[in-house]
């Protein structure tokens, strides 16, 4: 945290971002009021046209007062209530960037190493057919090259409407989640092959607790949320509710049956470290801007985070809790997509930290939804339109 304290006095407050990204009124800049004539609004409308209930997006230039916002659809199906300004939502796997940041801060403080084995911090937790925690490092967890299987197929609330209704308020202990994943060890991919697994970040959250003696939630709050003043961001623990203004979430659980059922209430203890953070488009922009701007990590640790390997099948490269994604205008950007039962997000930031784009949608939408979200981030980070000065919301 010394880098944050050292630079606080000489940094301009950010007014504004992963993934693999807004309507303006009131205290927000009126840069998207011309709806269909505005490029960002057209892109938001295109996402809405893929079948989602609501969409909200924000594009900012960190360190300045310039931003653009747009929204489409409604906050609740069957009503005319617009998507909320500054609405909160579950950011899903964009949470992984928060977790990786905390781990790398601990590395920078000399309290742990990326080369530490899982066995050192969590003895006996990673074991099974072909799995050995003494051969898996913290770096491999954060990079998804551990070979540890995915636990989410074992979470009933995430896999069917019946399972959701029965278990949406169930609390999982991290040790229980690890055990469920180890029981699937026969399905583990080859060691060191890149394979996305939320279990990696559940284990990372457990390691944070072992290193610090405090919970993952507390460390994220004290190291990132509070220092950056992310007033719309929280780690809900076992609470199934989203505090503050928010749009409802809907899921059809992959059945393609319309927008599905309301799944807004959810105890996200099954996603500790991997997908539990609640935030806003504005806060995510500020977070990624601070991260790439050097406010959260020292140069050596930021270099570790942004050193990537190929992520086959995703069309990106992956670092430590951060993806590197090609831009159609040339070059790449950093970011992370996220999805958790009815909320989908895509956040990205240019390599030089000069522009962020964050979009989220409620409900799963059609097969083109994710591509439309990725297109919005790509075009906005390529500088599709100039941003205007406006007061932060």
């Amino acid at each position: 945290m010394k880098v944050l304290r050292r630079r606080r006095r000489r940094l301009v407050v950010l007014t504004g971002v992963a993934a693999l990204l807004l309507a303006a009124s009131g205290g927000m800049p009126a840069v998207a009021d011309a709806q269909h004539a505005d490029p960002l609004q057209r892109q938001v409308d295109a996402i809405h046209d893929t079948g989602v209930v609501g969409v909200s997006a924000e594009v900012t230039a960190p360190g300045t007062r310039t931003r653009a916002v747009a929204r489409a659809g409604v906050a609740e199906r069957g009503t005319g209530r617009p998507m909320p300004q500054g609405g909160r939502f579950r950011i899903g796997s964009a949470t992984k960037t928060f977790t990786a940041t905390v781990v790398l801060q601990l590395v920078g403080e000399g309290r742990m190493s990326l080369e530490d084995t899982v066995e050192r911090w969590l003895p006996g937790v990673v074991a099974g057919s072909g799995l050995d925690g003494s051969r898996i490092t913290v770096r491999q967890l954060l990079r998804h090259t551990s070979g540890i299987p995915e636990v989410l197929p074992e979470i009933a609330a995430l896999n069917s409407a019946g399972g959701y209704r029965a278990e949406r308020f169930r609390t999982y202990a991290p040790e229980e989640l690890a055990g469920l994943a180890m029981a699937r060890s026969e399905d583990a991919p080859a060691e060191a092959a890149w394979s996305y697994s939320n279990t990696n970040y559940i284990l990372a959250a457990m390691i944070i607790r072992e290193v610090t003696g405090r919970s993952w939630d507390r460390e994220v709050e004290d190291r990132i949320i509070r220092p950056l003043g992310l007033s719309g961001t929280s780690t809900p623990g076992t609470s199934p509710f989203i505090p503050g203004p928010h749009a409802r979430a809907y899921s059809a659980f992959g059945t393609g049956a319309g927008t599905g059922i309301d799944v807004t209430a959810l105890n996200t203890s099954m996603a500790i470290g991997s997908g539990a953070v609640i935030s806003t488009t504005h806060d995510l922009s500020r977070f990624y801007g601070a991260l790439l701007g050097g406010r959260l990590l020292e140069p050596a640790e930021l270099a570790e985070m942004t050193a990537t390997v190929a992520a086959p099948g995703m069309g990106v490269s992956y670092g430590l809790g951060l993806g590197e994604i090609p831009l159609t205008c040339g070059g790449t950007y950093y970011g992370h997509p996220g999805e958790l039962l009815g909320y989908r997000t895509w956040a990205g930031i240019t390599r030089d930290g000069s522009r962020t784009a964050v979009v989220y949608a409620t409900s799963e939408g059609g097969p083109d939804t994710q591509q439309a979200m990725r297109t919005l981030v790509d075009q906005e980070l390529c500088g599709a339109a100039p941003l205007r000065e406006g007061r932060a919301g």
Side-chain angles (χ1 to χ4, degrees), residues 10-59:
R10 56 191 177 89
L11 283 171
V12 177
V13 176
L14 297 178
T15 62
V17 341
L20 256 200
L21 285 124
L22 295 158
S25 63
M28 303 177 75
V31 297
D33 287 343
Q35 295 195 0
H36 298 289
D38 181 85
L40 179 60
Q41 185 65 52
R42 288 200 302 270
Q43 293 172 79
V44 165
D45 289 341
I47 296 170
H48 183 242
D49 289 345
T50 66
V52 297
V53 175
V55 188
S56 186
E58 175 170 334
V59 181

Side-chain angles (χ1 to χ4, degrees), residues 121-192:
W121 295 107
L122 305 174
V125 171
V126 174
S129 177
L131 294 175
D132 181 354
S134 67
R135 300 176 60 190
I136 297 172
T137 66
V138 173
R139 184 190 301 277
Q140 288 174 306
L141 291 182
L142 299 184
R143 189 170 275 167
H144 294 297
T145 55
S146 69
I148 293 174
E150 175 64 82
V151 70
L152 294 191
E154 303 300 317
I155 309 301
L158 302 181
N159 292 296
S160 71
Y164 170 78
R165 293 186 180 100
E167 299 203 358
R168 66 187 183 274
F169 300 128
R170 175 177 173 178
T171 295
Y172 289 88
E175 294 79 6
E176 179 184 6
L177 295 167
L180 290 171
M182 295 312 114
R184 304 185 69 243
S185 60
E186 292 184 0
D187 298 329
E191 183 179 350

Side-chain angles (χ1 to χ4, degrees), residues 8 14 29 38-39 62 73 79 83-84 86 95 112 118 152 157 162 187-188 213 222 268 278 325 327 342 351 361:
R8 181 176 293 146
L14 297 178
D38 181 85
T79 74
M83 290 291 285
T95 295
M112 62 179 293
V118 176
L152 294 191
D187 298 329
D222 288 353
T268 56
I278 292 169
I325 305 151
L327 284 166
R351 290 176 65 92

Side-chain angles (χ1 to χ4, degrees), residues 92-96 99 152 196-202 205 216 270-277:
S93 285
T95 295
K96 293 178 174 64
T99 300
L152 294 191
Y196 193 87
S197 173
N198 286 280
T199 313
N200 289 318
Y201 279 76
I202 293 169
W216 168 82
M270 87 292 284
I272 182 173
S274 66
V277 167

